[in-house]
Amino acid sequence: MHKGRLKTLFTAVAGLFAGLLLAYSILSQINPEAAGGLKASKEGVSEDVVDAALKTYVPPGQLDEYYLFASGGHSGQLFVFGVPSMRRIRSIPVFNKESAVGYGWTTDTKEMLGDFDWGDAHHPALSETKGDYDGRWLFINDNANSRVARVNLDSFTTQQILGPVPNIYGPHGSVFLTPNSEYFMMASRFAGPIPYGTYSDIDNFKEDYKGVMAAIAVDPKDGNMSVGWELLLPPWSYDLSDAGKGVSDGWCFLTTYNTEEAYHLLEVESSQRERDYIVAINWKMLEQAAKDGKVKDIGGAKVIDPNDVPGSVYLVPCAKSPHGVDVTPDGKYFVGNGKLSPTVTVFSFEKFMECVNNKDFQGEERGFPIVNYEKTRVAEVEVGLGPLHTQFDDQGNAYTSLFVESAVAKWSLSDFKVSDKTQVHYCPGHLTAAEGDTVNPDGKYLVSLNKLAKDKYLSVGPSHPESMQLIDLTSSKMKVLYDSPVDPEPHFAQMIKADKIKTFEVYPKDETIEGAVYAKEDARVVRDGNNVTVYMMGFRSRYYPDTVEINEGDHVTWYLTNTDFDEDITHGFGIMFYDINCEAQPGQTQKLEFVADKAGVYPYYCTNFCSALHQEMQGYLLVKPKS
Amino acid sequence: MHKGRLKTLFTAVAGLFAGLLLAYSILSQINPEAAGGLKASKEGVSEDVVDAALKTYVPPGQLDEYYLFASGGHSGQLFVFGVPSMRRIRSIPVFNKESAVGYGWTTDTKEMLGDFDWGDAHHPALSETKGDYDGRWLFINDNANSRVARVNLDSFTTQQILGPVPNIYGPHGSVFLTPNSEYFMMASRFAGPIPYGTYSDIDNFKEDYKGVMAAIAVDPKDGNMSVGWELLLPPWSYDLSDAGKGVSDGWCFLTTYNTEEAYHLLEVESSQRERDYIVAINWKMLEQAAKDGKVKDIGGAKVIDPNDVPGSVYLVPCAKSPHGVDVTPDGKYFVGNGKLSPTVTVFSFEKFMECVNNKDFQGEERGFPIVNYEKTRVAEVEVGLGPLHTQFDDQGNAYTSLFVESAVAKWSLSDFKVSDKTQVHYCPGHLTAAEGDTVNPDGKYLVSLNKLAKDKYLSVGPSHPESMQLIDLTSSKMKVLYDSPVDPEPHFAQMIKADKIKTFEVYPKDETIEGAVYAKEDARVVRDGNNVTVYMMGFRSRYYPDTVEINEGDHVTWYLTNTDFDEDITHGFGIMFYDINCEAQPGQTQKLEFVADKAGVYPYYCTNFCSALHQEMQGYLLVKPKS
Ligand SMILES: [Cu+2]
Ligand SMILES: [Cu+2]
């Protein structure tokens, strides 16, 4: 920055703070409650608080620095926030119906949702190239129906749902991508008889119930997902996973609990052992095995029995019921978060490989070698109570959420010592740092995804919001900058630098699109027996045609093209009493299908405010009765 | 505030600003982009901007001052924001399914939603007592399916959906309550043949298509809504409405457009006339007429023909296609917002009554007297282009949104002159002021509900967020404090002082609740033929029972009681592949019903993070195959 400009800015800033100071003191004396916000604070306002206010305020005309993508949990959605303002910019329907955009109503999206009106969206994963977010796609799992979805980041819309993926009951521990988005793993949280639909009594748990991990392949051209191959595993609960990178590329890691193989009273019975495992899997070896045909078909998937591929799976002992497993940015360490132990355990991938290569095992279970714990582990960091997840910054620090302690611990990857701790409110699950899952984290910001809000926000009744807290990482002590309420329930989030995402604003005109109509002369209603096709065009502020006459019982296919090729000019389309709504974004063509099973007169109208004459954008669907 | 404390605060604030100033200048020199938020701003930071940051930052440990309830438009939801932070605290499902809370899945809510999975929520209305918000209920209309819902503000949950209300095609102009919440009016935006299902060709529009207004009665004890009576009206489009108050109590006002009675090409044909009307209706007279039996049954409603009640309906000429009609806090004026005319027209209720009493009419249309425009109108305020809606403060000022001009105009109810104007971004629809629809507005804050965001936020593809802007009313010039993105599509909002709302935190234990189970010994599965009833209890971190065995084809009724009577300890309940999820809030009992049409093994689990052992809160539903 030029020195002269700097000086001017400095002077301006000095002046404005002096002015503000005066304004503030006057306001305080007149009526300390009158102004709202920080200025209405009756308690002493600390410097930190003012600092936080200024650091999180994004002035009109400027944009946030990062996108934060947070899963919506059992709402099935994906929430998009801006950082540092923590404003929620968009909710993207993924596993849920969303009438505002017609998601679950248009032919495409209805097919995509299939038999399910909900999903349990857990862990979003931004696509990566060479271990860095590339801003192309976001993948997210559905723990309830064993599915996974792809959101395209040029349009912020869900473009594919894959699943139910065969044989995986509750793929909680996904999506965690390999460094070039070749694959992500989905491992079963619940053991169950496979394929789906198989009945076996619960007392046959140890024999008939299986754990399974699927490797989902991602097409590097278009992000298309397909089931690559699957791996049979013991009937344990697989909790979370992470993919190796750098030196550990080619491996992935799963945490386990309930290696006790209990199937009743889990909150007691599954926590008996002092240690469960991190399962280390050589996915490149398994990929080759699948290519070599060492698979059998179960439920339509190519399933590998690990006994057929010796050396592909190892067990690493870890403090009991570990929750998250997180690979450091350089790929040298993998970290197990204790959950029921006050430690994170740091394992060296190099040491792990030494044990593997030297067959330095301390036993085996279910046929899998257990590597030497003492040699593989390089540190047990005493972080505090209830460690769940760890993220990383650009300075060689790690940050671990402490659920029970309601805190975040900062510790060093050099000396494995805790250097700072900050309280969060309350009960953090995941954390996410700026570009925190890449090989080059940014530091700067950390967001704590807290499970309980209690009294932090205006009460909205017995169901409280979840709470995300933005934490400043730019100085040696962490500082909580902002409390952001959120709908249920972000389990995980990722943060990407804003300039990495390139969106488009208008759908291009393309005469080859099924049903598209770009001129009002081409708008028409075509009948073929009792199949009626409406080719409709919407343009500020009219539908062509604005009257459609059909017969009761007709099968109707209705195309709508929005020919306003203008930024932000979206038209809605709702038909009264027919439970139909969608929107057509600028240039977009939508397709709806329904049976005209109700006779009478049904107004249709633009449901998305589009112009001064929006209210006039309407028409009538007349359905002539049969008799 | 005590003087000593004030001085201390003053000193502290002085210090912190000095410190901040230093910090700011240092930061600016080192790396102007590093800190995010206001501190990263490279443009000169104005005093106003810093002021805005401090006024909108609600420090941790403190709460927002107002609740803002914004309709969710075609998403069917209701959004709850805190003011001045503009944080979205909650999304309340109203006309949409929401799996996170099981809304649309539990037996009660499924019945309430009926045949519709969506609605078009337009205008929320907080219940009033003596013209002031009383914090008990919120009502909101569904323009698409002619329904209206009640949200109880002790729990922030939808408790009643009424409708489809007979004969009203698209009740856009609701909900606007009378001063003691006796009634609200719903008037048809679309003319149509009545009752619903009647077929009549569009060319019979002028004869067979009707406008209708319904008076919905609200039970003062519990807020229960019922259709009181209806009124036949000409086949015009009724846009918005407001209820009289104070001197005008007993009357209500509807704006009209398309008095041309066009039924094609509305964006041209319905704007031919220089004037449409505000319809003034003496609802107390019609209420009496209904009591006197001057009604006929149409579609199950008691419908009044206005010809049978002379003196109940008058027409007030207003600049063409007026959009909003707004009654001043004292009830003395009603204001028509021109939409296609750059003016708001202010009518005196007193003058209107003089015309009525003196039969000072300038004509009649469709049998209704048209009152003398020149006498009734007291001012035409030249506010600017595209006036849509007007709100009021506590200083005798009115604020009108200017859609075309992208601005808000402030004008005086004393001299009817515009005193200030501020730009908003972009295209405001409704405005809402703090307690702005009461007899005692607070002033202080105004929120502009903008229809277009364009480039105001990080891009989320071709569909942009809507945008709400918080405007400071505490000085003579309006100041935009904050830009808040929001999902589609708030049409209107209301703002209520936070302390007026009293929520509860835990559902009380009540043995009389159907299906409730408060002790694990009482948890059980009961079979009666092929009807199976599960009485389940959830308690950190286990379900009782944690295995349920049934047969394929069974009809299942499943009760879940959450016996954690602790603030914010909610349990979820999802069954894999059965498309079922709900939550039970602290102390709550939920009921689900389904047919076990798929054999096999189906894990169920807690979908709402509840404790360190949440992941262990699971069980198995075993469905034995028929064969
Ligand atoms: Cu439109
Ligand atoms: Cu739970």
Side-chain angles (χ1 to χ4, degrees):
Chain A
M1 191 183 253
H2 189 272
K3 266 202 167 178
R5 269 192 69 192
L6 230 191
K7 200 176 163 189
T8 312
L9 176 60
F10 184 91
T11 312
V13 172
L16 77 89
F17 275 106
L20 246 183
L21 177 57
L22 186 65
Y24 185 86
S25 64
I26 291 167
L27 262 171
S28 303
Q29 287 175 71
I30 294 171
N31 183 354
E33 290 170 6
L38 199 49
K39 289 199 163 178
S41 171
K42 277 173 289 183
E43 305 304 315
V45 179
S46 76
E47 181 173 342
D48 275 351
V49 169
V50 174
D51 183 58
L54 299 181
K55 277 186 173 158
T56 56
Y57 187 79
V58 174
Q62 293 189 31
L63 300 174
D64 276 299
E65 201 177 349
Y66 287 89
Y67 288 92
L68 176 90
F69 293 92
S71 70
H74 40 321
S75 80
Q77 304 171 71
L78 181 69
F79 304 132
V80 185
F81 283 77
V83 176
S85 74
M86 296 305 284
R87 291 175 295 186
R88 176 163 155 188
I89 305 175
R90 178 56 103 208
S91 307
I92 304 175
V94 181
F95 301 114
N96 61 308
K97 291 175 76 169
E98 167 48 275
S99 52
V101 294
Y103 189 83
W105 273 268
T106 60
T107 300
D108 287 355
T109 57
K110 203 171 175 173
E111 272 171 21
M112 205 158 57
L113 285 177
D115 297 333
F116 305 109
D117 273 4
W118 82 290
D120 188 6
H122 270 255
H123 306 106
L126 291 158
S127 57
E128 296 180 15
T129 299
K130 294 183 184 171
D132 255 326
Y133 302 148
D134 58 24
R136 301 173 75 192
W137 313 301
L138 182 145
F139 303 93
I140 189 163
N141 62 329
D142 167 15
N143 187 63
N145 305 302
S146 299
R147 297 178 297 173
V148 63
R150 186 187 78 248
V151 174
N152 283 15
L153 296 179
D154 56 355
S155 63
F156 283 61
T157 56
T158 305
Q159 291 292 330
Q160 187 192 1
I161 294 180
L162 177 74
V165 172
N167 310 319
I168 317 278
Y169 288 90
H172 183 269
S174 50
V175 176
F176 298 94
L177 283 156
T178 57
N180 283 299
S181 303
E182 300 95 338
Y183 284 102
F184 56 86
M185 307 301 154
M186 301 177 83
S188 50
R189 175 173 156 193
F190 310 107
I194 58 174
Y196 298 138
T198 305
Y199 184 86
S200 178
D201 196 272
I202 190 83
D203 293 326
N204 305 326
F205 187 88
K206 295 188 186 210
E207 301 76 44
D208 285 1
Y209 286 45
K210 306 291 180 194
V212 174
M213 183 189 87
I216 307 297
V218 176
D219 188 318
K221 288 191 309 298
D222 56 13
N224 188 64
M225 303 174 289
S226 57
V227 180
W229 41 267
E230 297 190 346
L231 177 70
L232 276 181
L233 289 169
W236 306 338
S237 288
Y238 303 91
D239 203 348
L240 284 150
S241 73
D242 203 0
K245 56 183 84 166
V247 289
S248 53
D249 190 14
W251 288 76
C252 64
F253 307 93
L254 314 177
T255 48
T256 63
Y257 59 104
N258 194 25
T259 56
E260 294 84 353
E261 304 180 13
Y263 48 92
H264 281 305
L265 263 169
L266 243 60
E267 94 280 22
V268 177
E269 297 298 332
S270 73
S271 316
Q272 298 300 303
R273 286 179 163 196
E274 270 315 298
R275 298 219 183 281
D276 292 283
Y277 302 112
I278 291 174
V279 186
I281 296 170
N282 186 332
W283 66 260
K284 286 205 171 160
M285 188 184 277
L286 292 166
E287 181 187 43
Q288 188 58 48
K291 277 185 194 154
D292 297 344
K294 293 183 184 168
V295 297
K296 53 183 170 180
D297 184 291
I298 303 178
K302 295 174 187 168
V303 182
I304 301 171
D305 184 329
N307 295 317
D308 298 339
V309 192
S312 62
V313 179
Y314 297 90
L315 305 179
V316 183
C318 191
K320 68 178 175 182
S321 297
H323 196 57
V325 56
D326 300 290
V327 176
T328 54
D330 57 13
K332 289 184 180 167
Y333 302 107
F334 52 102
V335 173
N337 299 267
K339 186 166 91 169
L340 304 184
S341 144
T343 54
V344 291
T345 314
V346 183
F347 299 97
S348 156
F349 181 75
E350 189 185 347
K351 304 276 186 191
F352 163 77
M353 283 307 297
E354 280 175 27
C355 291
V356 165
N357 292 330
N358 301 333
K359 299 198 191 306
D360 187 352
F361 304 134
Q362 63 183 54
E364 65 158 46
E365 183 154 13
R366 287 267 188 182
F368 300 116
I370 304 170
V371 299
N372 185 320
Y373 173 72
E374 297 296 336
K375 288 210 177 138
T376 310
R377 180 212 65 188
V378 296
E380 280 194 356
V381 188
E382 299 274 340
V383 286
L385 299 177
L388 294 187
H389 300 281
T390 297
Q391 286 269 296
F392 306 98
D393 70 9
D394 56 336
Q395 306 289 321
N397 296 302
Y399 301 85
T400 301
S401 57
L402 304 172
F403 180 85
V404 176
E405 201 173 315
S406 283
V408 174
K410 175 182 179 179
W411 52 277
S412 165
L413 288 170
S414 310
D415 63 9
F416 303 111
K417 294 253 189 315
V418 173
S419 65
D420 187 25
K421 210 178 246 193
T422 191
Q423 293 300 123
V424 291
H425 302 93
Y426 300 89
C427 300
H430 276 271
L431 303 174
T432 187
E435 305 245 332
D437 291 294
T438 70
V439 296
N440 292 308
D442 281 3
K444 201 177 266 196
Y445 297 117
L446 183 75
V447 169
S448 174
L449 282 67
N450 306 325
K451 293 304 179 180
L452 302 181
K454 291 187 182 167
D455 53 1
K456 294 290 278 183
Y457 307 105
L458 288 180
S459 175
V460 289
S463 177
H464 296 225
E466 316 299 302
S467 185
M468 302 198 297
Q469 284 182 299
L470 179 68
I471 297 171
D472 185 356
L473 300 186
T474 56
S475 52
S476 60
K477 306 282 286 178
M478 293 177 279
K479 279 182 200 159
V480 174
L481 294 179
Y482 201 84
D483 291 3
S484 179
V486 55
D487 286 315
E489 177 183 8
H491 292 286
F492 184 44
Q494 285 191 332
M495 228 188 292
I496 181 176
K497 201 83 160 71
D499 60 14
K500 284 189 175 177
I501 290 182
K502 313 287 181 204
T503 56
F504 66 88
E505 296 293 333
V506 173
Y507 283 81
K509 185 170 173 176
D510 176 357
E511 303 280 357
T512 69
I513 289 171
E514 180 190 324
V517 171
Y518 297 107
K520 60 186 174 182
E521 297 71 28
D522 296 334
R524 63 202 186 275
V525 179
V526 177
R527 172 173 294 278
D528 174 15
N530 67 348
N531 293 312
V532 174
T533 305
V534 180
Y535 298 88
M536 190 166 79
M537 182 183 121
F539 184 76
R540 265 173 293 182
S541 297
R542 192 181 169 195
Y543 295 121
Y544 302 85
D546 64 5
T547 307
V548 173
E549 296 180 37
I550 60 175
N551 299 321
E552 190 181 352
D554 281 344
H555 289 72
V556 184
T557 303
W558 199 304
Y559 297 99
L560 165 63
T561 302
N562 176 357
T563 57
D564 280 292
F565 292 91
D566 269 358
E567 182 186 20
D568 206 2
I569 303 301
T570 290
H571 294 295
F573 176 66
I575 307 179
M576 284 198 71
F577 301 131
Y578 263 94
D579 199 35
I580 282 172
N581 191 64
C582 74
E583 68 172 25
Q585 297 171 14
Q588 191 181 25
T589 298
Q590 293 280 32
K591 179 185 185 181
L592 295 160
E593 289 166 277
F594 62 97
V595 176
D597 53 8
K598 289 190 291 277
V601 173
Y602 300 92
Y604 52 84
Y605 68 102
C606 179
T607 47
N608 197 305
F609 212 104
C610 56
S611 76
L613 286 166
H614 155 75
Q615 204 74 346
E616 283 77 358
M617 190 163 174
Q618 64 162 76
Y620 283 96
L621 170 66
L622 292 110
V623 185
K624 209 165 199 165
K626 270 181 177 157
S627 51
Chain B
M1 191 184 253
H2 188 272
K3 266 203 166 178
R5 273 192 65 191
L6 230 190
K7 201 176 162 191
T8 312
L9 176 60
F10 184 90
T11 312
V13 172
L16 76 90
F17 274 105
L20 248 181
L21 177 56
L22 187 63
Y24 184 85
S25 62
I26 291 168
L27 262 171
S28 302
Q29 287 174 72
I30 295 172
N31 182 355
E33 289 170 7
L38 199 48
K39 287 196 165 178
S41 172
K42 276 173 289 182
E43 304 304 315
V45 179
S46 76
E47 180 173 343
D48 274 352
V49 170
V50 175
D51 183 57
L54 300 181
K55 277 185 171 159
T56 54
Y57 186 78
V58 174
Q62 294 190 31
L63 300 174
D64 276 299
E65 202 177 348
Y66 287 88
Y67 288 92
L68 176 91
F69 293 93
S71 69
H74 40 321
S75 79
Q77 305 172 70
L78 182 69
F79 304 133
V80 185
F81 283 76
V83 175
S85 75
M86 297 306 284
R87 291 175 295 187
R88 176 162 156 188
I89 306 175
R90 179 55 104 208
S91 307
I92 303 175
V94 181
F95 300 114
N96 60 309
K97 291 176 78 170
E98 167 45 277
S99 53
V101 295
Y103 188 84
W105 275 267
T106 62
T107 300
D108 288 356
T109 56
K110 203 170 173 172
E111 273 171 20
M112 205 156 59
L113 285 177
D115 297 332
F116 305 109
D117 273 4
W118 83 289
D120 189 7
H122 269 256
H123 306 107
L126 291 156
S127 58
E128 296 181 14
T129 299
K130 293 182 182 168
D132 254 327
Y133 301 149
D134 58 25
R136 301 172 76 192
W137 313 301
L138 182 145
F139 303 92
I140 189 162
N141 61 328
D142 167 14
N143 187 65
N145 305 301
S146 299
R147 297 178 298 173
V148 63
R150 186 186 77 250
V151 173
N152 284 15
L153 296 179
D154 57 355
S155 63
F156 282 61
T157 56
T158 305
Q159 291 292 327
Q160 188 193 359
I161 294 179
L162 177 74
V165 172
N167 309 319
I168 316 280
Y169 288 90
H172 183 269
S174 51
V175 174
F176 299 93
L177 284 155
T178 58
N180 284 298
S181 302
E182 299 96 336
Y183 285 102
F184 57 85
M185 307 302 155
M186 300 177 84
S188 51
R189 175 174 156 193
F190 310 108
I194 60 173
Y196 298 138
T198 304
Y199 184 86
S200 178
D201 196 272
I202 192 82
D203 293 326
N204 305 325
F205 187 88
K206 296 190 185 209
E207 303 75 41
D208 286 0
Y209 285 45
K210 306 291 178 190
V212 175
M213 181 189 88
I216 307 297
V218 176
D219 188 320
K221 287 192 310 298
D222 55 13
N224 188 64
M225 301 173 290
S226 57
V227 180
W229 42 267
E230 297 189 344
L231 177 70
L232 276 180
L233 289 169
W236 305 338
S237 289
Y238 302 92
D239 203 348
L240 283 149
S241 74
D242 203 0
K245 55 183 87 167
V247 289
S248 53
D249 190 15
W251 288 76
C252 65
F253 307 92
L254 315 177
T255 47
T256 63
Y257 60 103
N258 193 24
T259 56
E260 294 84 353
E261 303 180 12
Y263 48 92
H264 281 304
L265 263 170
L266 243 60
E267 95 281 21
V268 177
E269 296 300 331
S270 73
S271 315
Q272 298 301 305
R273 286 179 165 196
E274 270 315 298
R275 299 217 180 283
D276 292 283
Y277 302 111
I278 291 174
V279 187
I281 296 170
N282 186 333
W283 66 260
K284 286 204 172 161
M285 187 185 275
L286 291 166
E287 180 187 44
Q288 189 58 48
K291 276 185 193 154
D292 296 344
K294 293 183 183 167
V295 297
K296 54 182 169 180
D297 184 292
I298 303 178
K302 294 174 186 168
V303 181
I304 300 171
D305 185 328
N307 294 318
D308 298 338
V309 191
S312 61
V313 179
Y314 296 90
L315 305 179
V316 183
C318 191
K320 67 178 174 182
S321 298
H323 195 57
V325 55
D326 300 289
V327 176
T328 55
D330 57 13
K332 288 183 181 169
Y333 302 106
F334 52 101
V335 173
N337 299 268
K339 188 166 88 171
L340 303 185
S341 143
T343 53
V344 291
T345 313
V346 183
F347 299 96
S348 156
F349 181 75
E350 190 185 346
K351 303 277 186 192
F352 163 76
M353 284 306 297
E354 280 176 26
C355 289
V356 165
N357 291 331
N358 300 333
K359 299 197 190 306
D360 188 352
F361 304 135
Q362 63 182 54
E364 65 159 43
E365 183 153 13
R366 286 267 188 184
F368 301 115
I370 303 168
V371 298
N372 184 320
Y373 173 73
E374 296 295 336
K375 289 207 177 142
T376 310
R377 180 211 63 188
V378 296
E380 281 194 354
V381 188
E382 298 275 339
V383 286
L385 298 178
L388 293 187
H389 300 280
T390 298
Q391 286 268 296
F392 306 97
D393 71 9
D394 56 336
Q395 307 288 323
N397 296 303
Y399 301 84
T400 300
S401 57
L402 304 172
F403 180 87
V404 176
E405 201 172 318
S406 283
V408 175
K410 175 181 179 180
W411 52 277
S412 165
L413 288 170
S414 310
D415 63 9
F416 305 111
K417 294 254 188 318
V418 173
S419 65
D420 188 26
K421 209 178 250 195
T422 191
Q423 292 301 121
V424 290
H425 303 92
Y426 300 88
C427 300
H430 276 270
L431 304 174
T432 185
E435 305 246 332
D437 290 294
T438 71
V439 295
N440 292 307
D442 281 5
K444 199 176 266 195
Y445 297 118
L446 183 75
V447 170
S448 174
L449 283 68
N450 306 326
K451 294 303 178 183
L452 302 181
K454 292 185 183 170
D455 53 0
K456 294 291 278 183
Y457 307 105
L458 288 180
S459 174
V460 288
S463 177
H464 296 224
E466 316 299 303
S467 185
M468 303 197 296
Q469 285 182 299
L470 179 67
I471 297 170
D472 186 355
L473 299 186
T474 57
S475 53
S476 61
K477 304 284 286 178
M478 294 177 279
K479 281 183 200 156
V480 174
L481 294 178
Y482 201 85
D483 289 4
S484 180
V486 56
D487 286 314
E489 179 186 6
H491 292 285
F492 185 44
Q494 285 192 333
M495 228 189 291
I496 181 175
K497 201 85 160 71
D499 61 12
K500 283 188 174 177
I501 289 182
K502 312 289 181 201
T503 56
F504 65 89
E505 295 294 334
V506 174
Y507 283 80
K509 186 170 172 176
D510 177 355
E511 303 280 358
T512 68
I513 288 171
E514 181 191 323
V517 171
Y518 296 108
K520 59 185 173 183
E521 297 72 27
D522 295 334
R524 64 200 185 277
V525 179
V526 177
R527 173 173 293 281
D528 174 16
N530 66 348
N531 292 312
V532 173
T533 305
V534 180
Y535 298 88
M536 190 166 79
M537 183 183 120
F539 183 75
R540 267 174 291 182
S541 296
R542 194 182 166 195
Y543 293 121
Y544 303 87
D546 63 6
T547 307
V548 173
E549 297 179 36
I550 61 175
N551 299 322
E552 190 181 351
D554 280 345
H555 289 74
V556 183
T557 304
W558 199 304
Y559 296 100
L560 165 63
T561 303
N562 176 356
T563 58
D564 280 293
F565 291 93
D566 271 357
E567 182 188 18
D568 205 4
I569 304 302
T570 290
H571 294 297
F573 176 67
I575 307 180
M576 283 198 72
F577 301 130
Y578 262 94
D579 198 37
I580 283 173
N581 191 64
C582 74
E583 70 172 24
Q585 297 171 13
Q588 191 180 23
T589 299
Q590 293 281 33
K591 180 184 184 181
L592 294 160
E593 290 166 276
F594 63 96
V595 175
D597 53 8
K598 288 191 290 278
V601 173
Y602 299 91
Y604 51 85
Y605 69 101
C606 178
T607 45
N608 196 303
F609 212 104
C610 56
S611 76
L613 287 165
H614 154 76
Q615 204 75 344
E616 283 78 358
M617 191 162 174
Q618 64 163 77
Y620 282 97
L621 170 67
L622 292 111
V623 185
K624 208 166 200 165
K626 269 181 178 159
S627 50

